[in-house]
């Protein structure tokens, strides 16, 4: 599907001259114009474009903020207030950037759960999926370090708690922590290196995004049926069909984003971060940003410090092994009656973990966190491997076109005649 | 498609449920009552007269201990109390600030100018702490965003929704705190140097009741020789809370105004794009119905 430049015909003399020296126009053409897209994609498939838009928006607003921000422990907080009060549209830049991080995570979580539901991680998309997990890890690091920069109370204490976790690692733990801090406590060197890394990592994300998109365009997109494109009639060209749909979805997402920026800009933040960092005063509850809460709950669910750190790390890393943990050959949960139920249980468990992460670690909250943490890992390590062996999938449609012709998109639970082979390998 | 809708609902629930609201208030505290504010809502704006009264309360009550780190000039800026330039210059000139070094290398005192920050009563934090029982009174300019209280499930989700949005936790808290000085309940011992307050987390606050009596601050008189608003502790608290909301969010009016235009623009843009998309997809029989395509696909796949 990716023999690049095969359909691109340069029109002008200059384009011909250039294309024979650097066929980048042909590359763009085959990736974003002629690229065949399954015609039954729902709006859940627009979040990739939304995420690329958000990455670009974060980098742009971030560069502008960096022109006014001062990464120095005694000046950082005031420089953020300077941006909010004195820089032209500084308040807009900062609210765009701070809420943009949350929007980025909302979009990425929808994107990931979409992948989980429709089995987008299965062969031949394993590498595509793993690149996604790497992007997610880089995003988490970037967001964490970005939250430290305003140098408020929650910035400081969040940095203290999270960097301290590395001290649980045997032998090298203390060295790693000193390296992160640039000293023997969270202080000015920490802030400086976090700023440097916060500026660097988004460009690394952009690099991995290029690989992610490249891998996508080699394997082609999954779709709600999980059945691959078999004939020209199953697909439409990326431009204009997917392009216009992505543009429309991105604008709708921007309306949602704009609501937060302009009307509830501090809703997703924490009031304590408007208090300047003070190493002598610990906030009543130290809570990370909302998008880390499920992982924070897993961390605290384990009574042992090292165990908690391992569990939290494993909760993310386990995603990379998903293509091999899920033994079912059917991709889409639309045709997997049991997996579909377990998927929704898993979603609820993740939401509960998020809520528990915002609660103090005491009493019933701890017990609930432990139950949810165990279920989180059981889902990946027991349910997914076993389910594939015992579940009887519903018959798959013979082609994407067939489900489209049958009317409703996706063809959830619709018997599809003769094409009953559970294998979806195209 | 029901699964799609369910997935979206679950995702938004996931996002919503996980949102922490600031947990400044300890468990078992009464919630500050929710007040009506002119600056809440989509079209909220500050009440200039209220901000000017609030500033007067700051000067006559709070300033003896608390810093307000904003430049004088902002008091005349659009969207704020909008004192006139002449008023600001006169106001600033009442204060002395240290400047220098001059050509001879000496520090000197001069009257403050509009561009200076409002000076603090104390020379530094240590002096403030030593004069106030060991802890410096916090600066107030961000107070209305730096204080909040937990609303609990499900209210904290409702707080983010259009038409129900609630962003005035801080102003409500300040108002509640200033009117929340009560006699401690029977059996509650207040340690020396502490004061009982219904809304302060843990109930024991070092700050003595700042606004002691009605009539303490004299408000500007209307044409009938009477103040248009009551000169009561309740009204003083409300005015200073509004004023501190402005110092915390001086661009609130511009933000809400811009937001309205941005959202209208995006809504029109989305509406147009929806029909463009429909028209484009009609060439292949539309998205849902999807008749066999006449899509001009290349031979590449």
């Amino acid at each position: 599907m990716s023999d690049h430049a095969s359909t691109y015909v340069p029109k002008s003399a200059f384009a011909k001259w250039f294309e024979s020296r650097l066929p980048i126009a042909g590359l763009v053409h085959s990736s974003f114009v002629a690229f065949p897209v399954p015609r039954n994609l729902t709006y859940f498939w627009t979040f990739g474009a939304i995420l690329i838009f958000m990455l670009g928006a974060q980098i742009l607003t971030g560069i502008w903020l960096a022109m006014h921000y001062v990464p120095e422990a005694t000046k950082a907080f005031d420089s953020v207030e300077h941006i909010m009060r004195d820089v032209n549209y500084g308040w807009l830049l900062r609210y765009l950037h701070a809420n943009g991080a949350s929007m980025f995570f909302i979009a990425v979580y929808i994107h990931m759960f979409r992948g989980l539901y429709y089995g987008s991680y299965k062969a031949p998309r394993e590498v595509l999926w793993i690149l996604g997990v790497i992007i997610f890890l880089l995003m988490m690091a970037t967001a964490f370090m970005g939250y430290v920069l305003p140098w408020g109370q929650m910035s400081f204490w969040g940095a203290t708690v999270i960097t301290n976790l590395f001290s649980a690692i045997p032998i090298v733990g203390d060295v790693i922590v000193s390296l992160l801090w640039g000293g023997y406590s969270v202080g000015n060197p920490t802030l400086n290196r976090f700023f440097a890394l916060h500026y660097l990592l988004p460009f690394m994300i952009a690099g991995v995004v290029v690989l992610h998109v490249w891998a996508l365009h080699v394997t082609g997109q999954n779709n709600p049926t999980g059945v691959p494109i078999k004939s020209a009639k199953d697909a439409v060209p990326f431009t204009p069909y997917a392009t216009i749909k992505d543009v429309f979805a991105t604008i709708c997402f921007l309306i949602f984003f704009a609501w937060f920026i302009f009307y509830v800009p501090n809703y997703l933040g924490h009031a304590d971060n408007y208090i300047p960092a003070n190493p002598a005063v610990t906030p009543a509850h130290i809570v990370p940003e909302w998008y880390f809460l499920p992982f924070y709950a897993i961390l605290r669910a384990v009574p042992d410090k090292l165990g908690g750190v391992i569990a939290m790390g494993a909760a993310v890393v386990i995603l990379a092994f998903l293509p091999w943990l899920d033994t079912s050959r059917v991709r889409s949960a639309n045709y997997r009656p049991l997996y579909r139920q377990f998927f929704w249980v898993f979603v609820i468990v993740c939401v509960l973990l998020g809520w528990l992460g915002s609660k103090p670690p005491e009493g019933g909250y701890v017990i609930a966190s432990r139950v949810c943490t165990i279920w989180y890992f059981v889902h990946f390590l027991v349910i997914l491997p076993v389910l594939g062996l015992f579940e009887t999938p519903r018959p798959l449609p013979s082609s994407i076109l067939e489900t489209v012709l049958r009317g409703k998109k996706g063809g959830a639970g619709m018997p599809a005649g003769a094409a009953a082979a559970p294998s979806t390998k195209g | 498609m029901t699964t799609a809708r369910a997935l979206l609902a679950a995702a938004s629930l996931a996002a919503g449920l996980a949102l922490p609201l600031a947990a400044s208030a300890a468990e078992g505290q009464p919630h500050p009552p929710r007040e009506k504010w002119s600056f809440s809502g989509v079209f909220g704006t500050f009440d200039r007269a209220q901000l000017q009264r609030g500033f007067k309360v700051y000067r006559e009550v709070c300033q003896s201990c608390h810093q307000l780190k904003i430049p004088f000039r902002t008091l005349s800026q659009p969207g704020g109390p909008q004192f006139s330039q002449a008023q600001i210059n006169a106001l600033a000139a009442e204060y002395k600030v240290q400047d220098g070094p001059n050509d001879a290398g000496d520090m000197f005192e001069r009257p403050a100018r509009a561009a200076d920050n409002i000076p603090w009563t104390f020379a530094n934090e240590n002096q403030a702490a030593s004069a106030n029982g060991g802890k410096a009174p916090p600066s107030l300019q961000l107070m209305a965003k730096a204080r909040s209280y937990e609303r609990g499930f499900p209210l904290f989700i409702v707080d983010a929704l259009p038409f129900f949005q609630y962003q005035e936790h801080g102003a409500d808290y300040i108002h509640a705190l200033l009117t929340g000085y009560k006699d401690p309940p029977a059996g509650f011992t207040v340690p020396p140097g502490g004061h009982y307050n219904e809304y302060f987390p843990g109930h024991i606050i070092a700050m003595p009741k700042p606004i002691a009596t009605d009539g303490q601050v004299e408000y500007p008189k209307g044409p009938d020789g009477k103040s248009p608003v009551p000169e009561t502790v309740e009204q003083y608290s409300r005015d200073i809370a509004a004023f501190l909301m402005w110092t915390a969010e001086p661009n609130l009016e511009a933000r809400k105004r811009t937001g309205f235009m941005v959202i209208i623009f995006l809504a029109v843009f989305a509406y147009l794009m929806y029909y463009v998309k429909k028209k484009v997809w009609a060439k292949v029989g539309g998205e849902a119905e999807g008749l066999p395509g006449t899509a001009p696909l290349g031979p590449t796949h």
Side-chain angles (χ1 to χ4, degrees):
Chain A
M1 277 184 197
S2 62
D3 46 333
H4 291 304
S6 59
T7 59
Y8 172 68
V9 184
K11 289 195 182 84
S12 70
F14 172 76
K16 277 186 196 126
W17 177 88
F18 195 85
E19 189 68 5
S20 62
R21 283 155 183 82
L22 182 68
I24 196 163
L27 181 74
V28 169
H29 181 85
S30 65
S31 295
F32 300 104
V33 180
F35 181 67
V37 174
R39 58 187 299 159
N40 61 338
L41 296 187
T42 63
Y43 279 100
F44 284 110
W45 268 265
T46 59
F47 282 89
I50 289 170
L51 284 162
I52 289 178
F53 176 86
M54 286 310 301
L55 178 63
Q58 287 299 85
I59 289 177
L60 275 180
T61 52
I63 288 173
W64 253 262
L65 286 171
M67 293 176 191
H68 301 279
Y69 171 76
V70 184
E72 205 275 327
T74 57
K75 300 195 175 97
F77 188 90
D78 287 343
S79 77
V80 172
E81 277 310 306
H82 161 71
I83 290 169
M84 290 296 287
R85 289 159 194 276
D86 296 332
V87 173
N88 290 337
Y89 292 100
W91 59 270
L92 179 58
L93 280 174
R94 175 163 173 261
Y95 280 154
L96 272 165
H97 197 72
N99 286 288
S102 284
M103 295 301 132
F104 208 144
F105 274 92
I106 288 173
V108 90
Y109 282 138
I110 294 174
H111 192 65
M112 288 165 75
F113 277 115
R114 194 282 323 270
L116 290 178
Y117 185 86
Y118 293 109
S120 301
Y121 46 84
K122 291 185 191 181
R125 298 187 183 85
E126 302 95 322
V127 173
L128 172 63
W129 173 261
I130 291 169
L131 287 167
V133 175
I134 293 170
I135 294 172
F136 181 52
L137 277 169
L138 287 171
M139 273 177 68
M140 292 172 92
T142 311
F144 164 68
M145 288 191 262
Y147 194 60
V148 174
L149 302 184
W151 213 238
Q153 273 291 68
M154 218 37 98
S155 297
F156 181 89
W157 288 98
T160 305
V161 169
I162 300 300
T163 50
N164 252 316
L165 294 177
F166 290 89
S167 69
I169 301 169
I171 306 163
V172 290
D174 289 335
V175 178
I176 294 176
V177 175
S178 317
L179 196 66
L180 284 170
W181 287 345
Y184 299 101
S185 65
V186 174
N188 190 49
T190 323
L191 179 61
N192 264 290
R193 60 192 54 199
F194 277 21
F195 178 59
L197 293 172
H198 183 71
Y199 208 118
L200 168 70
L201 290 185
F203 296 98
M204 289 173 66
I205 293 178
V208 187
V209 166
V210 170
L211 297 180
H212 191 68
V213 173
W214 186 9
L216 172 76
H217 286 199
V218 170
T219 61
Q221 281 170 294
N222 189 21
N223 66 77
T225 64
V227 176
I229 296 173
K230 288 175 180 162
S231 74
K233 286 181 176 169
D234 285 343
V236 289
F238 190 92
T239 301
Y241 298 96
T243 326
I244 190 73
K245 199 165 165 175
D246 284 346
V247 169
F248 172 63
T250 305
I251 296 165
C252 292
F253 188 78
L254 281 178
I255 295 175
F256 175 73
F257 185 10
W259 171 258
F260 279 86
I261 298 165
F262 294 107
Y263 294 109
V264 284
N266 293 303
Y267 177 76
L268 296 157
H270 198 292
D272 276 11
N273 229 25
Y274 280 110
I275 304 171
N278 184 351
V281 180
T282 319
H285 298 294
I286 301 174
V287 206
E289 286 280 80
W290 69 267
Y291 36 81
F292 292 137
L293 289 173
F295 302 102
Y296 193 56
I298 291 174
L299 168 79
R300 297 189 305 180
V302 183
D304 175 62
K305 187 178 176 187
L306 179 60
V309 173
I310 292 172
M312 182 171 70
V316 184
V317 173
I318 203 167
L319 292 170
F321 295 93
L322 194 54
W324 298 278
L325 289 170
D326 185 347
T327 51
S328 173
R329 286 180 302 171
V330 176
R331 291 199 186 93
S332 171
N334 282 352
Y335 304 97
R336 297 185 60 190
L338 286 176
Y339 172 66
R340 197 155 127 181
Q341 290 171 33
F342 282 112
F343 170 83
W344 289 112
V345 173
F346 180 72
V347 170
I348 291 165
V349 164
C350 290
V351 172
L352 273 177
L353 278 170
W355 179 67
L356 291 164
S358 73
K359 292 284 155 192
E362 58 198 24
Y365 296 135
V366 176
I367 299 165
S369 303
R370 288 187 183 150
V371 172
C372 288
T373 301
I374 291 169
W375 186 271
Y376 184 95
F377 287 104
V378 164
H379 178 83
F380 288 113
L381 295 174
V382 181
I383 295 171
L384 285 183
V386 172
L387 208 56
L389 304 176
F390 293 100
E391 187 181 41
T392 315
R394 293 208 179 104
L396 291 174
S398 60
S399 72
I400 293 170
L401 184 65
E402 185 189 296
T403 59
V404 175
L405 284 175
R406 272 174 187 277
K408 293 302 148 200
K409 307 174 248 183
M414 220 178 292
S423 169
T424 60
K425 192 81 180 71
Chain B
M1 182 175 163
T2 51
T3 45
R5 226 172 280 134
L7 194 60
L8 189 67
S12 46
L13 190 68
L17 264 186
L19 306 174
L21 259 181
S24 303
E27 308 278 333
Q29 295 274 136
H31 281 178
R34 193 164 167 181
E35 302 295 326
K36 273 201 159 52
W37 299 106
S38 66
F39 48 81
S40 67
V42 169
F43 302 106
T45 53
F46 289 110
D47 173 349
R48 313 275 161 241
Q50 183 174 45
L51 295 189
Q52 297 195 357
R53 294 195 302 267
F55 179 63
K56 195 161 195 290
V57 175
Y58 168 73
R59 282 193 78 197
E60 293 179 21
V61 180
C62 321
Q63 194 173 28
S64 57
C65 296
H66 290 279
Q67 186 180 18
L68 186 74
K69 210 160 72 179
I70 58 166
F72 287 104
R73 64 178 160 77
T74 56
L75 293 165
S76 66
Q77 153 183 303
Q82 290 182 201
F83 288 107
S84 70
Q85 193 60 50
Q87 280 174 304
I88 294 304
N89 291 341
L91 174 76
E94 290 176 27
Y95 293 82
K96 289 260 182 294
V97 292
Q98 199 185 42
D99 201 348
N102 61 13
D103 292 347
D106 300 320
M107 303 303 281
F108 59 92
E109 281 213 329
R110 61 161 172 82
R113 294 189 284 256
D116 290 315
N117 277 340
I118 301 176
W120 194 12
T121 317
F122 302 105
N124 50 54
E125 281 224 0
N126 292 11
Q127 196 189 61
S130 111
N132 284 282
K135 198 173 166 292
S139 19
L140 294 185
Q141 71 277 2
L142 278 171
M143 226 12 126
K145 288 197 292 189
R147 294 292 182 274
S148 191
Y149 62 95
E150 189 141 17
R151 292 259 287 165
F153 179 80
L155 277 181
F156 79 87
I157 295 176
V158 176
D159 288 350
L161 303 178
F163 304 109
F164 298 98
Q165 79 274 11
Y166 178 42
Q167 281 274 284
E168 293 78 32
H169 304 71
D172 282 342
Y173 173 76
I174 292 168
H175 171 260
L177 184 89
L178 293 176
T179 52
Y181 284 85
K182 305 244 156 76
D183 291 328
F188 193 102
T189 38
V190 178
H195 304 86
Y196 185 84
N197 189 298
E198 204 180 345
Y199 297 103
F200 190 74
H203 296 303
I204 297 166
I205 184 168
M207 173 171 76
K209 190 177 182 187
I211 316 174
T213 53
D214 292 350
Q216 186 178 334
V217 179
E218 202 179 315
Y219 274 165
K221 301 284 178 273
D224 56 351
K226 275 196 270 178
S227 165
V229 293
E231 291 166 307
T232 58
V233 174
E234 152 66 34
Q235 185 64 37
Y236 298 145
S237 307
R238 191 181 296 273
D239 292 346
I240 186 70
F243 175 70
L244 292 181
M245 188 71 230
W246 170 75
T247 61
E249 195 71 8
N251 292 304
L252 179 142
E253 290 186 12
R255 164 160 67 75
K256 293 190 173 187
R257 216 170 36 235
T258 314
F260 187 69
M261 293 186 288
V262 167
I263 289 177
I264 294 288
F265 169 79
L266 287 173
V268 172
F269 194 7
Y271 177 84
L272 294 175
M273 289 318 279
Y274 176 74
Y275 285 100
V276 173
K277 191 211 67 163
K278 242 184 137 161
K279 181 130 200 253
V280 165
W281 277 83
K283 277 188 264 177
V284 289
E287 270 177 282
E289 312 86 77
L291 297 166
T294 50
L297 256 193
T300 42
H301 59 280

